[in-house]
Amino acid sequence: MNSLPLLIIACAIGVCYSLFFFKKATAGYTPKAQTFVEINGESYGVFKDIRNVNDLFEANDSQPNKRHIVTMRRNFVTGRSLAHWAQRVFSSHVGQTDIYLKIRTGNGQKIADVVLKNAKPILFRIETASAMRDGEGFLEEVHLAAPVIDIY
């Protein structure tokens, strides 16, 4: 007796069950957002920990003296440092600049593009690997203030 047809049927049933349970297990899954930072046409990489970003979507720009504060944190090993950019801005007294935040889902779909108009850093820091829990790379944190935001 040839068992090949039974094996094919068993594999087909297994594939169907796998697909059914995969769809059910991932039904409520929402990919985490990533924010790509760009200043003057230069990329400063990805930030996954951005605080007060929800305030951007609720911001009321009719208050002329209000500054929106956004805090960005990340661990990194190599790449362009946003904290080093902030330090250069502080030391050279460069004026305010537009900062572009491209917010995407984990699979690359656009959530929003945010422009922090006339932004400037108000606080920045970098910690070395010895100060971090996982011991790899650096932890950088930058606080930005912007009087106006645009969301696309």
Side-chain angles (χ1 to χ4, degrees), residues 95-115:
Q96 299 165 331
T97 189
D98 293 347
I99 298 174
Y100 296 84
L101 307 178
K102 298 177 180 183
I103 304 170
R104 304 292 184 262
T105 64
N107 59 9
Q109 292 179 326
K110 178 182 173 180
I111 296 173
D113 289 335
V114 176
V115 182

Tab-separated table of all heavy atoms in Angstrom, residues 95-115:
chain	number	residue	atom	x	y	z
A	95	GLY	N	21.634	78.846	15.244
A	95	GLY	CA	20.223	79.130	15.486
A	95	GLY	C	19.363	77.884	15.440
A	95	GLY	O	19.843	76.755	15.334
A	96	GLN	N	18.094	78.094	15.495
A	96	GLN	CA	17.146	76.996	15.484
A	96	GLN	C	17.064	76.395	14.082
A	96	GLN	O	17.348	77.055	13.089
A	96	GLN	CB	15.779	77.506	15.924
A	96	GLN	CG	15.833	78.072	17.335
A	96	GLN	CD	14.623	78.905	17.676
A	96	GLN	OE1	14.020	79.503	16.804
A	96	GLN	NE2	14.283	78.939	18.944
A	97	THR	N	16.661	75.132	14.028
A	97	THR	CA	16.572	74.434	12.750
A	97	THR	C	15.357	73.519	12.745
A	97	THR	O	14.808	73.201	13.797
A	97	THR	CB	17.860	73.626	12.477
A	97	THR	OG1	17.828	73.140	11.142
A	97	THR	CG2	18.003	72.470	13.442
A	98	ASP	N	14.951	73.105	11.563
A	98	ASP	CA	13.841	72.155	11.440
A	98	ASP	C	14.380	70.740	11.608
A	98	ASP	O	15.407	70.382	11.034
A	98	ASP	CB	13.158	72.281	10.083
A	98	ASP	CG	12.441	73.619	9.905
A	98	ASP	OD1	12.271	74.344	10.912
A	98	ASP	OD2	12.053	73.927	8.771
A	99	ILE	N	13.671	69.951	12.408
A	99	ILE	CA	14.044	68.561	12.638
A	99	ILE	C	12.900	67.688	12.141
A	99	ILE	O	11.745	67.899	12.512
A	99	ILE	CB	14.332	68.306	14.126
A	99	ILE	CG1	15.525	69.172	14.562
A	99	ILE	CG2	14.603	66.821	14.386
A	99	ILE	CD1	15.817	69.122	16.031
A	100	TYR	N	13.228	66.732	11.300
A	100	TYR	CA	12.223	65.866	10.678
A	100	TYR	C	12.184	64.519	11.384
A	100	TYR	O	13.215	63.874	11.544
A	100	TYR	CB	12.543	65.671	9.191
A	100	TYR	CG	12.469	66.967	8.422
A	100	TYR	CD1	13.556	67.830	8.378
A	100	TYR	CD2	11.300	67.333	7.777
A	100	TYR	CE1	13.487	69.038	7.698
A	100	TYR	CE2	11.221	68.531	7.092
A	100	TYR	CZ	12.317	69.376	7.059
A	100	TYR	OH	12.240	70.573	6.393
A	101	LEU	N	10.996	64.116	11.818
A	101	LEU	CA	10.771	62.818	12.436
A	101	LEU	C	9.873	62.020	11.512
A	101	LEU	O	8.732	62.416	11.254
A	101	LEU	CB	10.097	62.977	13.803
A	101	LEU	CG	10.763	63.924	14.800
A	101	LEU	CD1	9.942	64.001	16.073
A	101	LEU	CD2	12.183	63.485	15.099
A	102	LYS	N	10.376	60.921	10.999
A	102	LYS	CA	9.598	60.044	10.126
A	102	LYS	C	9.196	58.828	10.946
A	102	LYS	O	10.022	57.970	11.218
A	102	LYS	CB	10.409	59.654	8.897
A	102	LYS	CG	10.771	60.866	8.056
A	102	LYS	CD	11.632	60.500	6.891
A	102	LYS	CE	11.945	61.773	6.112
A	102	LYS	NZ	12.720	61.499	4.915
A	103	ILE	N	7.936	58.786	11.343
A	103	ILE	CA	7.449	57.731	12.228
A	103	ILE	C	6.868	56.612	11.368
A	103	ILE	O	5.959	56.838	10.570
A	103	ILE	CB	6.403	58.286	13.208
A	103	ILE	CG1	6.997	59.467	13.988
A	103	ILE	CG2	5.944	57.186	14.165
A	103	ILE	CD1	5.992	60.235	14.814
A	104	ARG	N	7.395	55.400	11.559
A	104	ARG	CA	7.002	54.240	10.758
A	104	ARG	C	6.698	53.062	11.669
A	104	ARG	O	7.223	52.956	12.775
A	104	ARG	CB	8.130	53.841	9.792
A	104	ARG	CG	8.595	54.948	8.861
A	104	ARG	CD	7.526	55.314	7.854
A	104	ARG	NE	7.955	56.293	6.881
A	104	ARG	CZ	7.707	57.594	6.941
A	104	ARG	NH1	7.044	58.080	7.970
A	104	ARG	NH2	8.102	58.411	6.001
A	105	THR	N	5.868	52.147	11.175
A	105	THR	CA	5.625	50.901	11.902
A	105	THR	C	6.854	50.022	11.781
A	105	THR	O	7.764	50.317	10.995
A	105	THR	CB	4.403	50.141	11.344
A	105	THR	OG1	4.697	49.761	9.987
A	105	THR	CG2	3.129	50.966	11.407
A	106	GLY	N	6.864	48.942	12.527
A	106	GLY	CA	7.977	48.004	12.467
A	106	GLY	C	8.195	47.422	11.083
A	106	GLY	O	9.298	47.043	10.724
A	107	ASN	N	7.133	47.364	10.270
A	107	ASN	CA	7.290	46.830	8.911
A	107	ASN	C	7.410	47.939	7.861
A	107	ASN	O	7.269	47.685	6.677
A	107	ASN	CB	6.150	45.863	8.570
A	107	ASN	CG	4.784	46.500	8.662
A	107	ASN	OD1	4.671	47.706	8.826
A	107	ASN	ND2	3.748	45.692	8.567
A	108	GLY	N	7.657	49.194	8.305
A	108	GLY	CA	7.969	50.272	7.371
A	108	GLY	C	6.803	51.115	6.885
A	108	GLY	O	7.009	52.037	6.100
A	109	GLN	N	5.595	50.836	7.325
A	109	GLN	CA	4.454	51.626	6.875
A	109	GLN	C	4.444	52.980	7.572
A	109	GLN	O	4.722	53.083	8.761
A	109	GLN	CB	3.146	50.897	7.138
A	109	GLN	CG	2.982	49.656	6.292
A	109	GLN	CD	1.677	48.943	6.606
A	109	GLN	OE1	1.216	48.939	7.741
A	109	GLN	NE2	1.079	48.340	5.594
A	110	LYS	N	4.096	54.009	6.816
A	110	LYS	CA	4.079	55.371	7.342
A	110	LYS	C	2.974	55.549	8.372
A	110	LYS	O	1.825	55.207	8.127
A	110	LYS	CB	3.877	56.367	6.207
A	110	LYS	CG	3.789	57.804	6.670
A	110	LYS	CD	3.547	58.743	5.494
A	110	LYS	CE	3.296	60.150	5.986
A	110	LYS	NZ	3.070	61.075	4.873
A	111	ILE	N	3.339	56.075	9.531
A	111	ILE	CA	2.365	56.516	10.523
A	111	ILE	C	2.186	58.014	10.376
A	111	ILE	O	1.077	58.507	10.246
A	111	ILE	CB	2.819	56.160	11.954
A	111	ILE	CG1	2.876	54.640	12.116
A	111	ILE	CG2	1.882	56.776	12.984
A	111	ILE	CD1	3.462	54.179	13.430
A	112	ALA	N	3.312	58.738	10.374
A	112	ALA	CA	3.264	60.190	10.200
A	112	ALA	C	4.661	60.720	9.938
A	112	ALA	O	5.656	60.085	10.293
A	112	ALA	CB	2.682	60.859	11.436
A	113	ASP	N	4.709	61.887	9.329
A	113	ASP	CA	5.936	62.662	9.221
A	113	ASP	C	5.709	63.923	10.035
A	113	ASP	O	4.710	64.617	9.853
A	113	ASP	CB	6.251	63.018	7.764
A	113	ASP	CG	6.700	61.813	6.963
A	113	ASP	OD1	7.220	60.861	7.566
A	113	ASP	OD2	6.544	61.823	5.736
A	114	VAL	N	6.625	64.196	10.952
A	114	VAL	CA	6.495	65.335	11.853
A	114	VAL	C	7.701	66.244	11.639
A	114	VAL	O	8.831	65.769	11.549
A	114	VAL	CB	6.452	64.865	13.330
A	114	VAL	CG1	6.414	66.043	14.281
A	114	VAL	CG2	5.276	63.931	13.558
A	115	VAL	N	7.437	67.540	11.551
A	115	VAL	CA	8.521	68.513	11.456
A	115	VAL	C	8.472	69.388	12.702
A	115	VAL	O	7.459	70.034	12.969
A	115	VAL	CB	8.388	69.399	10.194
A	115	VAL	CG1	9.574	70.366	10.118
A	115	VAL	CG2	8.305	68.552	8.944
